[in-house]
């Protein structure tokens, strides 16, 4: 008989988002009359925009012609990689440093395969669950101690430290997952904070895996949209990004990673060369159609649509933030981010999740699902139709004590 992978058995709980979907289903079965609104999973809701849709359709049609057909694209369309470099990084990266993927989450999994189980792992606490769960899956997390995994350093990000962690706790030689704008807190690291992060990584020989999946929601011009605004980051950071949230490609699937040529292992070998190797070995490239849509989203018409789409969700965030503030609930995020992190001091976050579901028929995400420091918090997602957001805000008044 085949043995089960013991790392799978080491996973503490089911993956957070299917668990939320399951609880929603169970509630809906028990209350078929309830019109449930989701402010839970960060899933885009608005239709693809006209210019981007035209790009997708044109590519699908081109593939149906003798002259226009193409097959595997491996590391991605050169034109798309060039355009990503221009639009997001002032053209500072060569296309050999930009890799097109089927999304940031998939890239996280492949990076975990690449770095293997020998390096210490550090995460912000709370954090997007894939950083921890994926590390468990490759045997890099150590055993469960009742509150976290022994091989993972959790850096609390709380109101007390302005949601930026104490970097002195990062072990030397660690892989440091860092997300800004942050999922789930919605906090955005300042330039000075990123300078400190980069300086720490260089001093301690760490590599930062910088998840910038929400960078297009940043409106404050003082806040960096990429870690490479800090010049030395090319020697210590990989950046991940995605078309999912800015242009509604959660279902179309398209993302990218930047792995600068300067980035090296302790041995002096090139991380970029290994990422080419991993990408060529266990990935076969993103869909040609998705890439054409991504390219359309980065021309002037597409960028206008991207801006309007992110503005729409930011307006939703403003409505949610105002509604909970009116209830006396304190929160962070929601200004340069589609997430609002609401504080319910001393409360069990799964209990608050259930209360909101029962009283308001609104699905949220319990903070504890993002790590131990998430206890006592609820994440509200601003991805939703406007009418649903307005209705949810009205229903949240039932939480008034
Ligand atoms: C539910 C910080 C959402 N099933 O779409 P991708 O793969 O390019 O990006 C996924 C992603 C990457 N990085 C961060 C993210 O927050 C996300 C998406 N997170 C959420 O509600 O937290 C969707 C979650 C999805 C999942 O597991 O990713």
């Amino acid at each position: 008989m085949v043995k089960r992978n013991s790392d799978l058995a080491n996973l503490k709980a089911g993956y957070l988002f299917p668990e939320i979907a399951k609880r929603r289903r169970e509630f809906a079965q028990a209350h078929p009359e309830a019109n449930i609104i989701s402010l839970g999973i960060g899933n885009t809701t608005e239709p693809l925009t006209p210019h981007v849709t035209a790009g997708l359709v044109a590519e699908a049609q081109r593939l149906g012609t003798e002259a226009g057909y193409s097959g595997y694209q491996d590391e991605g369309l050169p034109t798309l990689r060039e355009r990503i470099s221009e639009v997001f990084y002032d053209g500072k990266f060569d296309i050999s440093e930009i890799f097109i993927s089927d999304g940031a989450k998939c890239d996280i999994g492949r990076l975990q395969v690449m770095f293997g189980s020998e390096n210490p792992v550090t995460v912000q606490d709370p954090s997007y669950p894939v950083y921890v769960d994926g590390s468990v899956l490759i045997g890099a997390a150590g055993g469960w101690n009742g509150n976290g995994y022994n091989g993972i350093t959790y850096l609390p990000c709380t109101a007390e430290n302005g949601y930026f962690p104490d970097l002195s706790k990062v072990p030397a030689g660690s892989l440091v997952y860092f997300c800004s704008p942050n999922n789930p807190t919605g906090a955005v690291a300042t330039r000075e904070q990123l300078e400190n992060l980069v300086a720490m990584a260089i001093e301690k020989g760490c590599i930062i895996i910088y998840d910038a999946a929400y960078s297009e929601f940043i409106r404050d011009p003082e806040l960096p949209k990429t870690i490479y605004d800090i010049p030395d980051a090319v020697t210590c950071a990989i950046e991940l990004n995605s078309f999912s949230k800015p242009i509604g490609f959660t279902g179309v699937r398209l993302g990218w990673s930047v792995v600068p040529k300067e980035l090296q292992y302790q041995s002096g070998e090139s991380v970029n060369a290994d990422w080419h190797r991993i990408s060529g070995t266990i990935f076969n490239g993103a869909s040609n159609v998705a890439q054409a849509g991504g390219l359309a989203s980065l021309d002037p018409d597409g960028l206008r649509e991207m801006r309007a789409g992110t503005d729409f969700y930011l307006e939703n965030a403003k409505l949610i933030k105002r509604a909970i503030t009116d209830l006396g609930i304190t929160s962070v995020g929601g200004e340069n981010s589609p997430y609002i992190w609401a504080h319910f001091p001393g409360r069990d976050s799964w209990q608050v999740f259930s209360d909101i579901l029962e009283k308001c028929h609104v699905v949220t995400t319990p903070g504890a699902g993002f790590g131990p420091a998430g206890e006592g918090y609820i994440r509200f997602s601003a991805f939703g139709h406007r009418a649903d957001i307005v209705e949810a805000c009205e229903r949240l008044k039932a939480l008034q004590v």
Side-chain angles (χ1 to χ4, degrees):
M1 293 284 281
V2 172
K3 289 194 206 130
R4 187 178 185 214
N5 178 346
S6 58
D7 294 321
L8 259 173
N10 195 21
L11 278 172
K12 178 61 190 125
Y15 185 55
L16 175 65
F17 297 109
E19 177 63 29
I20 288 169
K22 179 174 144 260
R23 292 191 190 210
R24 177 193 170 137
R25 257 192 328 273
E26 285 166 358
F27 184 82
Q29 271 158 13
H31 303 86
E33 75 296 346
N35 167 22
I36 299 171
I37 296 174
S38 178
L39 306 182
I41 298 170
N43 201 357
T44 47
T45 54
E46 302 312 293
L48 293 173
T49 50
H51 179 71
V52 172
T53 305
L56 292 165
V57 169
E59 176 65 4
Q61 283 172 339
R62 195 183 70 87
L63 290 172
T65 65
E66 187 85 32
Y69 177 76
S70 59
Y72 295 124
Q73 290 281 352
D74 296 328
E75 283 149 8
L77 275 180
T79 45
L80 177 59
R81 289 146 78 195
E82 254 161 39
R83 190 70 189 136
I84 286 173
S85 182
E86 279 164 26
V87 171
F88 298 103
Y89 308 106
D90 291 331
K92 97 172 124 208
F93 293 109
D94 181 73
I95 63 167
S96 62
E97 298 170 287
I98 295 179
F99 300 72
I100 306 299
S101 75
D102 50 351
K105 181 181 179 181
C106 322
D107 271 336
I108 295 164
R110 286 186 287 266
L111 282 172
Q112 287 164 337
V113 170
M114 180 173 82
F115 285 111
S117 59
E118 304 285 302
N119 297 298
V121 171
T122 301
V123 295
Q124 290 163 286
D125 177 20
S127 69
Y128 180 44
V130 181
Y131 312 146
V132 169
D133 285 10
S135 300
V136 175
L137 285 177
I138 56 150
W144 177 252
N145 61 28
N147 204 31
Y149 290 93
N150 293 322
I152 293 189
T153 301
Y154 296 81
L155 302 178
C157 294
T158 59
E160 287 71 44
N161 58 20
Y163 299 93
F164 186 80
D166 175 359
L167 300 175
S168 69
K169 305 277 186 275
V170 178
S174 183
L175 286 175
V176 181
Y177 291 90
F178 197 95
C179 178
S180 180
N182 188 263
N183 176 14
T185 68
V188 187
T190 64
R191 183 173 308 275
E192 192 188 348
Q193 287 172 334
L194 289 189
E195 279 166 1
N196 291 339
L197 180 68
V198 166
M200 178 283 297
I202 291 170
E203 188 197 322
K204 295 190 182 179
C206 296
I207 290 182
I208 301 160
I209 299 175
Y210 190 79
D211 189 337
Y214 301 97
S215 61
E216 284 311 297
F217 291 87
I218 294 178
R219 291 291 177 271
D220 180 343
E222 296 299 312
L223 294 172
K225 286 175 136 187
T226 159
I227 185 108
Y228 301 118
D229 273 9
I230 315 304
D232 287 345
V234 292
T235 66
C236 67
I238 289 171
E239 182 161 301
L240 305 177
N241 211 321
S242 169
F243 289 84
S244 283
K245 306 301 160 74
I247 201 71
F249 273 19
T250 44
V252 175
R253 309 301 307 146
L254 191 68
W256 73 91
S257 58
V258 182
V259 183
K261 286 198 201 100
E262 292 86 342
L263 193 64
Q264 293 180 346
Y265 296 103
Q266 189 185 40
S267 58
E269 287 162 290
S270 160
V271 177
N272 177 282
D274 272 2
W275 192 226
H276 277 279
R277 179 72 167 90
I278 290 284
S279 302
T281 307
I282 56 169
F283 181 51
N284 251 345
S287 142
N288 297 343
V289 175
Q291 292 189 71
L295 198 49
S297 78
L298 299 182
D299 70 20
D301 286 344
L303 288 169
R304 266 190 291 279
E305 292 182 345
M306 190 181 281
R307 178 76 182 198
T310 46
D311 276 347
F312 175 84
Y313 291 123
L314 284 169
E315 184 60 29
N316 284 351
K318 204 184 276 176
L319 295 174
I320 298 167
K321 196 160 169 100
R322 191 180 306 145
I324 62 172
T325 305
D326 287 349
L327 296 171
I329 298 166
T330 57
S331 67
V332 63
E335 274 141 12
N336 294 283
S337 146
Y339 295 126
I340 297 125
W341 188 237
H343 202 187
F344 292 81
R347 302 272 315 272
D348 174 291
S349 62
W350 277 107
Q351 191 54 53
V352 180
F353 166 87
S354 299
D355 281 355
I356 299 176
L357 186 53
E358 278 156 29
K359 289 189 188 145
C360 314
H361 299 174
V362 170
V363 176
T364 57
T365 308
F370 296 100
E375 194 50 281
Y377 288 86
I378 285 287
R379 188 192 77 175
F380 289 92
S381 155
F383 294 104
H385 300 309
R386 180 61 48 77
D388 288 342
I389 299 289
V390 170
E391 169 68 16
C393 290
E394 193 55 35
R395 289 192 203 165
L396 288 173
K397 289 181 181 158
L399 297 177
Q400 189 105 52
V401 278

